[in-house]
Amino acid sequence: MRLYLTTVILAACAIGLLITPALCATGAQPTPQESAALVALKGTIKGTIVWESNRTGVWELYMMNADGSNARQLTHLTTPGNPLAYTGYMRPRFSPDGNMILFAYGTRQAPVEAWVTTREGEDPHKLTTGNPLNWMPDGQSILVLRKKQIWQYNLQTGEEKLASADVLPTAIDTTGMVGCVWPDLSAGVFRFNKNEYVVLKGAKTIKTTAGCEPRLIPGGRYMYWVQGPRKFRVWDIRADEEFQMLGTPPVKPFDYTYFPTVTDDMRYLMFGASPSQHSHDTSDYEIYIQPLTNLRADGAPVRLSFNTGTDRWPYLWVGQSEASDGPYDTASGEAIAPPPEPLKIFSFASETAEPDWGGETGLWPEEVEGCGATTTWVAEDAEGGDGGSMKIDYTITADPRSFSMWFTPGAGTVDLNAHDRFVIWVKGSVPSFTLVIKDATADPEGRTDRGIADCLVEGVGQDWRRFELPFGTFKPREQNGRIDWGKINHVGVAMIGGANEPAGMVQVDNLQAILPE
């Protein structure tokens, strides 16, 4: 979708465009071109924007419709002139259902705190001490960074627990820290002394960038950040490739850009822009919305705020409602097609069933004393259906001290670029297993580690458990290796010496690749 600035020259009052007094200040009225762009935008995007501004002399939250209409002050947290008023980033973000807003707050020179308020601005209150990172997908808990560790706070019970036991050695949790963590707690991005992408288990930094303000896009694939003013960058984690999302926007003089946030559906970029002023506390930053296609700017951005204060960290929440013919995308007002089905690999529907994605299945190694397995189909479906599951009794006490039940696709290779994780149901007598994947570059004889990656899965017990394994958690065996997710030709349920138990039993069911939520 493109939003174009039209050349219609009409005054805002003459065309019925409502711009509230809180939105406009003396000398900050929209130009005729900006007014025309707002008219063209009006009613085309449904959603709600929350942002922070110091236009009253202290930092408060503000809200408006996604098309810029009905702008208003949301909170009244303190009074102008308060010497203890909070001065750091608030970075507001909606809960998944759009009913609550998480933000950073506190008092000057005190540790930053995680606060929430309703979308009506009611009952703003502190949850816990720590720099708020993001909501968990169920909207029941949040993640915060406190004293170099990530904690999870439950809004329903008030209880908190360590979400990741490993200490982040370079962490700082001051009011200017920006960060975000994947919901599965596999990795996160943080602006400490520089931008860092950190695998949380082991606290290993695997990528650093210049610039600031790093964020993640739900789905497990993309990181984005400010490389510098007039330059927003994206890292495709799966492909290990960078590209530019937005360069210098064609909206002079407001083309000095910071505070990017991308909507969960990746269709819109929100950002702040100033007339070549850098200070994030005093400069005249204004709020803009930019349509995206494949995470690249598509068309011209539209200015949504008109005030000489500092407007920053806009966040657009776009919800969904139900229509008679399926989900309804309220971002564009158009019905969307149902998402593709998950790719079933093997559902073990019957004792003689073939792999769901075609192809073949087998055991490796074959007929090696002290290393191998026997498999038994069991009429027990992990999800309570009519099918079954596969019981694997194995031992890996002799060379090659590894075992795999493998599956290859009927088409030779499959393109999993639209997917972002595997799902598998497992129970057993051992605490872990390993899922192995190979791409088309892998040696069929296994003489090198090229094109092979592993994911160690822990937490197996006596009862069925559903495991979600994001692609980003698979570690290539080859140093500095990469996996081509567009050409996957092998998936295996494996036991590997040194990582898994030397003998035992696992029972597996319903292995599939799923798409981002």
Side-chain angles (χ1 to χ4, degrees), residues 242-255:
E242 291 187 17
F243 57 89
Q244 183 163 287
M245 177 163 52
L246 178 69
T248 303
V251 286
K252 289 185 177 298
F254 290 89
D255 61 2

Side-chain angles (χ1 to χ4, degrees), residues 139-301:
Q140 302 300 308
S141 60
I142 62 166
L143 300 176
V144 301
L145 175 66
R146 182 171 69 236
K147 295 182 178 179
K148 299 182 182 292
Q149 289 183 295
I150 296 171
W151 295 76
Q152 185 171 347
Y153 179 93
N154 189 298
L155 275 70
Q156 303 302 311
T157 65
E159 297 176 350
E160 59 183 5
K161 62 181 180 181
L162 270 176
S164 178
D166 290 288
V167 173
L168 303 176
T170 61
I172 54 175
D173 54 6
T174 62
T175 58
M177 197 286 298
V178 176
C180 187
V181 172
W182 296 126
D184 62 9
L185 304 177
S186 60
V189 292
F190 308 93
R191 177 57 164 92
F192 297 146
N193 295 319
K194 51 193 170 184
N195 293 336
E196 300 183 32
Y197 183 93
V198 182
V199 175
L200 297 184
K201 187 173 183 179
K204 181 180 180 181
T205 298
I206 64 172
K207 184 179 179 67
T208 61
T209 77
C212 57
E213 301 177 356
R215 303 291 286 266
L216 297 170
I217 298 175
R221 181 163 182 173
Y222 299 103
M223 165 188 172
Y224 63 99
W225 69 96
V226 178
Q227 184 79 13
R230 308 182 178 95
K231 186 181 292 185
F232 295 165
R233 299 284 294 171
V234 176
W235 178 39
D236 183 333
I237 300 168
R238 195 179 304 163
D240 193 21
E241 296 176 349
E242 291 187 17
F243 57 89
Q244 183 163 287
M245 177 163 52
L246 178 69
T248 303
V251 286
K252 289 185 177 298
F254 290 89
D255 61 2
Y256 196 89
T257 53
Y258 274 94
F259 318 117
T261 62
V262 174
T263 54
D264 288 355
D265 61 6
M266 300 188 292
R267 298 176 67 178
Y268 298 98
L269 165 69
M270 304 295 305
F271 64 91
S274 76
S276 297
Q277 302 167 359
H278 183 76
S279 172
H280 292 188
D281 299 310
T282 60
S283 300
D284 181 14
Y285 281 94
E286 302 292 348
I287 303 301
Y288 283 81
I289 185 170
Q290 168 70 62
L292 299 175
T293 298
N294 297 324
L295 286 178
R296 292 171 173 83
D298 185 4

Side-chain angles (χ1 to χ4, degrees), residues 15-98:
I15 56 179
L17 176 64
L18 175 61
I19 302 177
T20 66
L23 189 59
C24 285
T26 303
Q29 300 292 330
T31 65
Q33 290 80 12
E34 290 169 338
S35 294
L38 284 169
V39 172
L41 181 65
K42 191 174 179 65
T44 63
I45 306 175
K46 289 184 171 62
T48 309
I49 299 168
V50 62
W51 81 99
E52 61 195 77
S53 179
N54 63 358
R55 60 185 62 183
T56 64
V58 290
W59 291 102
E60 301 283 356
L61 299 183
Y62 291 75
M63 184 178 286
M64 61 182 159
N65 297 335
D67 61 5
S69 62
N70 196 25
R72 59 209 182 272
Q73 184 173 339
L74 185 68
T75 60
H76 298 80
L77 299 169
T78 188
T79 56
N82 179 358
L84 297 179
Y86 182 75
T87 57
Y89 286 160
M90 300 174 79
R91 294 197 304 118
R93 64 231 79 160
F94 278 103
S95 59
D97 64 5

Side-chain angles (χ1 to χ4, degrees), residues 30 36 129 277 281 302 378 419 424 455 484-485 498:
T129 300
Q277 302 167 359
D281 299 310
V302 177
V378 181
H419 302 74
I424 186 172
C455 179
D484 185 349
W485 290 96

